[in-house]
Amino acid sequence: MSNLLSSLSKTIHASLALAIILFLGLFMQNDGFSFDRAFWSWVARYVHVVVGIMWIGLLWYFNFVQIPNMGKIPDEQKPAIGKVIAPAALFYFRWAAAFTVLSGLILAGLNGYLHDAMTFSIGSGIPKHTAIGIGMWLGLVMAFNVWFVIWPNQKRALGIVECDPELKAKSAKTAMLFSRTNTLLSLPMLLTMVAAQNLY
């Protein structure tokens, strides 16, 4: 067991295997599932939740753990964060954001409410679609911030892209402020998405 858990790759593969075994058990208990729109909607929702947890989890890691504690780290140890940990975390952060948006759009399309939600259900007046639409737009704004503001500024702040010290400091501040903006939007975004699934 120690060998399994000491490797992240083995741990993730084992987790995936357990999920597949559990799915097959549920599949057989239910006498199978129809591989119809409802099934693929479930698959899209599962992927959406998994990558969404990765995205928001890393957003909160940056804002609740890394940023507040950087001042407590001795200068000689900071390169370990800036050169190793932060770039790796930002890789998963930005791709989780992209796949959260993509899987969410696929899910909305499969369930037939994509257009209605994106227009806040103004034409049809369905409150559930208004709620999920608000969440979708907040998610889109947050993903835009990740890819087009936070990541370009972080590349300069972390020295991945060379620039002068003044621009590097300015970029670090901009990245932090937009990361905080996404933290600000994260609870309302999650509220509307959960509300759309549970209040209507």
Side-chain angles (χ1 to χ4, degrees):
M1 189 66 156
S2 161
N3 184 37
L4 170 73
L5 298 176
S6 62
S7 163
L8 177 61
S9 176
K10 288 179 183 176
T11 302
I12 295 301
H13 284 105
S15 180
L16 184 59
L18 284 173
I20 290 169
I21 290 166
L22 186 56
F23 170 78
L24 292 173
L26 294 171
F27 184 83
M28 288 185 286
Q29 182 187 27
N30 193 54
D31 295 326
F33 298 119
S34 296
F35 292 96
D36 55 7
R37 182 184 294 196
F39 173 81
W40 293 112
S41 173
W42 169 81
V43 170
R45 187 178 309 279
Y46 182 70
V47 170
H48 186 61
V49 169
V50 169
V51 292
I53 289 169
M54 174 73 79
W55 178 19
I56 300 305
L58 285 168
L59 173 68
W60 288 355
Y61 158 75
F62 287 128
N63 282 277
F64 286 91
V65 179
Q66 184 173 305
I67 294 170
N69 288 293
M70 282 301 286
K72 301 173 189 172
I73 298 172
D75 288 342
E76 65 274 9
Q77 294 176 7
K78 285 183 180 173
I81 302 291
K83 299 292 183 192
V84 180
I85 294 172
L90 285 163
F91 173 83
Y92 289 103
F93 177 65
R94 67 183 187 274
W95 285 108
F99 283 109
T100 301
V101 168
L102 179 62
S103 59
L105 293 172
I106 290 169
L107 176 61
L110 286 169
N111 287 337
Y113 60 77
L114 179 59
H115 179 266
D116 201 38
M118 295 303 287
T119 58
F120 302 112
S121 194
I122 291 170
S124 64
I126 300 171
K128 178 177 182 169
H129 295 172
T130 302
I132 197 72
I134 293 168
M136 289 168 72
W137 275 107
L138 289 172
L140 285 168
V141 168
M142 291 168 67
F144 179 89
N145 287 346
V146 168
W147 277 94
F148 300 105
V149 183
I150 296 170
W151 175 234
N153 279 284
Q154 281 288 20
K155 285 194 286 188
R156 289 189 291 271
L158 295 171
I160 296 169
V161 171
E162 292 298 322
C163 65
D164 62 76
E166 187 178 324
L167 180 57
K168 187 174 183 176
K170 184 179 176 187
S171 294
K173 183 172 183 179
T174 300
M176 185 275 293
L177 291 173
F178 275 84
S179 184
R180 286 284 162 82
T181 300
N182 278 7
T183 301
L184 172 74
L185 297 177
S186 65
L187 291 178
M189 180 269 295
L190 291 167
L191 181 138
T192 56
M193 295 205 166
V194 172
Q197 296 307 314
N198 296 281
L199 293 182
Y200 302 101

